[in-house]
Every structure is written in C-alpha cells, then in structure tokens.
Amino acid sequence: MGIRNERAANLPAKLSRSWLLAAPHSEQVMLDALASEADSVVFDIEDGIPDDDKAQARELVATALNNGLSGWVRINPAGTDLWREDVEALNGSQGLRGVMLAKTETPEQVAATGQALTPGTPVVALLESGLGIENAPFIAKAQGTFRLAFGTGDFRRDTGAGSTPLALAYARSRLVVASRVGELPGPIDGPVLSDDPGIIGTACQVTVEMGMTGKLTLGTSQAPQINEHLSPSASEIAWARDLLTKDAQGAGGGDGSYLPRLSRAKKVSRLAESYGLWNR
C-alpha cells in the first residue's frame, strides 16, 4: 500500500514539526500524504469529511491501518455518537500511532478517549475554544495527553478573536505554559491558509517565538517549509557546535550565563541530530 517516508516515520512524534491533516477521501490520498515530507500524518475524519461520508472514510482508515499503513487519526469530539463510532473502529488498529481529539475542552474527554482505545494510545488534545484554552493546564496533565494543539480557526469563531499574532498571543502562551507544566513536548500551532512562502515563513516565525514546536498543515507542499523553519537554523547549529567544542576543550566561560548557554547548545545539537542536520 505504498512506502512511508522513512525519515518521518522514524522520527519520534514528540519531535514532529509538521502535522499534515489529510482527509481520507481515497486510499491514494492517504498514500500521497504518507509519502510526503510531513513528520506526522493525521487522517482527518472530523472536519475533513462531510457527515454523510464519515462512515465510509472511517472504514477506509481502519482497514488501511490494519493492512500496512501507519498514521494518526483526527477523531470527532468526545461524547458524540461519531466519536463512539470512531474509537470503536480504531480500537486495536495495528498502524494507529495515536489520535488527535477534536474540540477538546476538559481532561475527562482525553481520559475517556484513552480508555476507549488500546491502552497507551497517545492523544493529541486539539483545543479549539475559549473553554479549552482556559482548561489547558488541566488537559495537559490528563492521563493519555501526549501533546496539545491549537485549532486557530474554531477558536477565532468561538471567541471573536482576530488573526494577528497579538490577538492569538494569550491562547498560544497558555498552551506553551500548560505544556511545560504538564511535562509535555511543545504544543502544535494552527495551520497557515496560504502557500505563499513568505506568509508561511512569517507564520512559522511566530510559532517559534511563542515557544511552540509543531504546526498543523492542510497541504503536503507546506511540510518541507514548516520543517525548515521549525528546525535549528544553520547559524544556531554553528553556534552550538562552536560552544560544545570549546567546552570539550575546557575553554568554557565562567560567567552566570554559561551553563544556560551550554544547555541550549546541547538541545540544539540533539534536535539537529534528530532532524539530520548536525553533520551537514
């Protein structure tokens, strides 16, 4: 059923930068998504599929995950009939890497989802409302929560907030702090609704500056750009290599900023190594 992008397939999801939401209208759509440069592929059977087509898409995904494919699945909101049908169909699926729970608002919804699936199935909690954002610290600590994600479109509709970085700064900051308190990887930012490289670059800069480490994308073409912008830059890698070399030679500095800088250099080196950038 196709060949998974091996680099992305072998990357731990806690380090995934690009999260591709792919609507499973056909098997070919799924194969194209899995062959892309996206770090994580999420088959979207919530907003990506009309209600009348959800049963067919759900069956297609469940069958594919039991016949060689591997990926995440965005499922419908907890407690709904569609959610129950989703978790029943996906429970025990061999290739299920985890689920993205749409419109998460409480920690109980994450717990219920985890209990309805194979024990240990990771849950990315997608927060898309004011209530979800306010409950972010509790959701981050819920059993089964793997990462938090920001559904910017629905959040804006729910709250009336604008689309500027300033308008969404509080929500993004709350997700970042909640993730840190919950000892989770950095949160996943919302998507960019443009394929313009300049717009994507600017949006990714906001993502990075806010402390978020992943980004949703609705198209395969954006994944390489997101991966580049959310990875350590060439200048950061050069700085880290220089500092680590000096430290190994015993030439490290002695001021109060040295240990934090050394810790940062080690983090950059680990990330660059994971993304295949350290030895370039």
Side-chain angles (χ1 to χ4, degrees):
M1 296 185 70
I3 300 174
R4 178 71 170 104
N5 178 336
E6 292 186 7
R7 179 204 55 77
N10 294 327
L11 186 70
K14 66 181 181 179
L15 298 178
S16 289
R17 300 154 295 182
S18 52
W19 290 74
L20 173 62
L21 291 169
H25 295 292
S26 68
E27 182 180 288
Q28 190 58 52
V29 170
M30 299 174 68
L31 293 174
D32 290 344
L34 290 171
S36 75
E37 286 301 305
D39 286 340
S40 286
V41 173
V42 186
F43 301 124
D44 182 8
I45 56 176
E46 193 235 355
D47 277 353
I49 299 292
D51 286 351
D52 291 343
D53 298 332
K54 287 187 187 296
Q56 181 179 353
R58 183 187 301 115
E59 178 63 25
L60 176 64
V61 170
T63 299
L65 293 178
N66 282 311
N67 286 277
L69 293 195
S70 176
W72 293 71
V73 181
R74 176 158 82 162
I75 60 175
N76 289 276
T80 64
D81 290 339
L82 290 171
W83 170 82
R84 294 187 184 90
E85 293 167 358
D86 290 345
V87 293
E88 287 174 3
L90 295 172
N91 189 21
S93 295
Q94 298 172 6
L96 182 65
R97 299 191 70 181
V99 297
M100 180 174 287
L101 180 61
K103 299 177 176 60
T104 306
E105 293 187 321
T106 69
E108 290 79 13
Q109 292 171 336
V110 175
T113 299
Q115 291 167 4
L117 294 167
T118 302
T121 299
V123 179
V124 171
L126 182 60
L127 278 53
E128 306 181 72
S129 67
L131 179 58
I133 293 297
E134 285 303 285
N135 281 336
F138 310 106
I139 295 170
K141 291 184 176 181
Q143 184 174 1
T145 300
F146 177 71
R147 280 177 86 167
L148 302 180
F150 187 23
T152 49
D154 279 328
F155 174 79
R156 290 182 57 213
R157 282 190 287 272
D158 182 56
T159 63
S163 61
T164 65
L166 178 61
L168 299 176
Y170 170 76
R172 287 189 169 111
S173 292
R174 193 159 178 85
L175 288 174
V176 169
V177 174
S179 296
R180 182 67 188 92
V181 171
E183 298 183 331
L184 304 178
I188 303 162
D189 202 1
V192 182
L193 303 181
S194 171
D195 286 331
D196 182 283
I199 294 176
I200 293 173
T202 299
C204 286
Q205 183 178 4
V206 171
T207 298
V208 172
E209 289 180 349
M210 293 303 299
M212 308 179 92
T213 59
K215 196 164 189 63
L216 298 174
T217 177
L218 306 179
T220 58
S221 63
Q222 291 186 0
Q225 299 171 75
I226 292 172
N227 291 344
E228 178 183 356
H229 289 298
L230 269 59
S231 300
S233 66
S235 60
E236 287 178 308
I237 293 172
W239 166 81
R241 183 179 287 112
D242 180 64
L243 184 59
L244 291 173
T245 298
K246 290 178 179 177
D247 182 73
Q249 295 171 347
D255 60 45
S257 70
Y258 181 68
L259 289 181
R261 287 188 290 118
L262 182 61
S263 177
R264 170 62 182 167
K266 290 178 179 178
K267 181 178 180 180
V268 169
S269 70
R270 289 194 300 269
L271 287 174
E273 181 70 29
S274 295
Y275 298 143
L277 304 173
W278 186 249
N279 294 318
R280 284 188 178 180

